[in-house]
Amino acid sequence: RASAMRSLLADPDRYLRSFRLFLKRSTEHQSMRDFVERQLPAVVASIGNGKSTINVLSVGGGAGEIDLQILSKIRARYPGATINNDVIEPSADQISKYKERVAQASNVENIKFTWHKETAHEYESRMNAEKETKKWDFIHMIQMLYYVKDVPATIRYFHSLLDSQAKLLIILVSGKSGWETLWKKYGSSFPLEDLCCYVSSGDLPRMLDSAGLKYQLYELPSHMDITSCFIEGDKDGELLLDFLTETLDFAKTAPPELKHQIMEELRKPGCSEIRDGKVFFNSNLGVIVVEP
């Protein structure tokens, strides 16, 4: 019966709706913001030393919320420098939201934005075809490695574009999160054709070690209120379930036995914690900062 289940990414509109609801119900952006406020300044402390222009590459920049926070930290550290910020993002909808955000932002003078409507892989192919070897001072890949066919190769490629004092910042779900528990156990039951792979911060040290790369790891606490998932027929709950399982209309299309197992699993300590009658899914993030 699993064939009735379809990937959530088959319906981009519903995918974006579920993603935005996830952001609303989770502390994800707050937790990234805290990292940007507290830890990023040290990470970017020497990327622009002696440079009048700092080149930043955002891989999968989405609607730019986190990008603009990152840029403001780089700008604060190097007030005199010009920043070239290139964004790789395949969704036209996300790019137009990003452009609106930039238009409304107050502190973006001396930042030059260039958007590329393409995937990381398309960018790499285009650069190779153009024989381009542009070097970057800071590259970040936030919550995007799930959508690439070959994670180690993607990391190696973007790492190869780092200048001598640059840093590569990767943010993913944590290997200690509820995602890890849920996906390691049930990932093979979900219709994963577009989401190429389940990868968490727990998988990265192996890949980075085998590529001989130096890095630091940080754990960012984050959680999401999934109480509505347990209310039969709740529209938001159904959207969040779709997001958790990457399945379109999971509540309606999943075989009853699988649905039952997932609902049980989501309540367990490996996935969530129950406080004041509410269920909070552990959506911790892992941050990896890779050296050039």
Side-chain angles (χ1 to χ4, degrees):
R1 290 284 306 131
S3 58
M5 291 167 67
R6 290 172 61 217
S7 164
L8 177 56
L9 290 152
D11 182 343
D13 179 56
R14 188 166 171 93
Y15 172 74
L16 271 176
R17 271 171 49 222
S18 73
F19 174 62
R20 293 193 179 123
L21 181 63
F22 159 72
L23 288 179
K24 208 163 94 185
R25 291 288 174 85
S26 77
T27 57
E28 166 122 348
H29 272 179
Q30 190 49 53
S31 137
M32 286 187 197
R33 208 169 289 133
D34 291 345
F35 174 81
V36 169
E37 285 300 321
R38 294 180 197 144
Q39 283 149 317
L40 190 72
V43 172
V44 300
S46 58
I47 61 169
N49 283 353
K51 299 192 165 186
S52 56
T53 302
I54 298 172
N55 295 315
V56 177
L57 182 62
S58 163
V59 187
E65 295 99 322
I66 306 298
D67 286 21
L68 290 188
Q69 289 157 26
I70 289 173
L71 291 168
S72 86
K73 287 294 170 250
I74 296 176
R75 196 164 171 254
R77 175 69 183 84
Y78 302 101
T82 301
I83 299 172
N84 289 326
N85 184 64
D86 279 45
V87 181
I88 300 169
E89 170 54 58
S91 159
D93 180 59
Q94 293 284 73
I95 289 178
S96 80
K97 288 199 163 47
Y98 197 137
K99 289 179 174 172
E100 277 166 39
R101 187 168 265 117
V102 170
Q104 288 157 13
S106 54
N107 57 345
V108 291
E109 55 281 4
N110 73 14
I111 303 178
K112 186 172 159 294
F113 290 86
T114 310
W115 287 272
H116 307 275
K117 188 191 167 308
E118 58 193 351
T119 64
H121 183 68
E122 287 162 351
Y123 176 84
E124 181 178 347
S125 308
R126 184 167 63 83
M127 287 301 136
N128 289 337
E130 291 171 12
K131 305 259 185 288
E132 277 278 339
T133 45
K134 184 173 180 177
K135 291 285 186 182
W136 300 90
D137 301 304
F138 190 65
I139 299 177
H140 57 87
M141 313 164 102
I142 296 177
Q143 294 287 44
M144 61 68 65
L145 280 174
Y146 324 109
Y147 307 99
V148 306
K149 287 271 186 276
D150 184 337
V151 175
T154 302
I155 293 174
R156 280 198 306 272
Y157 171 71
F158 286 101
H159 179 268
S160 76
L161 306 181
L162 292 177
D163 215 345
S164 59
Q165 309 178 92
K167 295 277 194 286
L168 167 63
L169 171 80
I170 298 169
I171 301 185
L172 279 175
V173 299
S174 164
K176 301 183 174 83
S177 69
W179 297 106
E180 182 83 352
T181 309
L182 188 66
W183 282 78
K184 285 278 187 274
K185 203 161 168 182
Y186 292 104
S188 58
S189 310
F190 302 145
L192 262 192
E193 61 269 15
D194 295 298
L195 192 75
C196 300
C197 62
Y198 171 73
V199 57
S200 76
S201 69
D203 302 312
L204 258 61
R206 207 172 25 87
M207 297 175 187
L208 295 167
D209 291 342
S210 70
L213 303 180
K214 288 208 291 289
Y215 56 91
Q216 283 106 28
L217 279 168
Y218 306 82
E219 183 83 5
L220 307 187
S222 181
H223 57 77
M224 160 168 65
D225 184 345
I226 60 167
T227 316
S228 59
C229 294
F230 301 93
I231 302 166
E232 197 62 44
D234 184 291
K235 289 280 164 272
D236 281 357
E238 289 178 359
L239 261 182
L240 286 177
L241 262 179
D242 285 13
F243 191 73
L244 285 164
T245 60
E246 290 286 330
T247 303
L248 188 60
D249 287 319
F250 178 81
K252 299 189 177 78
T253 63
E257 181 53 26
L258 177 65
K259 186 180 170 185
H260 175 73
Q261 289 171 336
I262 297 295
M263 300 318 287
E264 291 282 294
E265 193 68 43
L266 283 173
R267 283 181 180 277
K268 289 183 186 163
C271 277
S272 301
E273 114 175 76
I274 300 179
R275 289 200 307 271
D276 309 324
K278 286 197 155 87
V279 187
F280 293 99
F281 183 79
N282 173 333
S283 57
N284 282 11
L285 298 167
V287 176
I288 299 96
V289 177
V290 192
E291 307 289 327

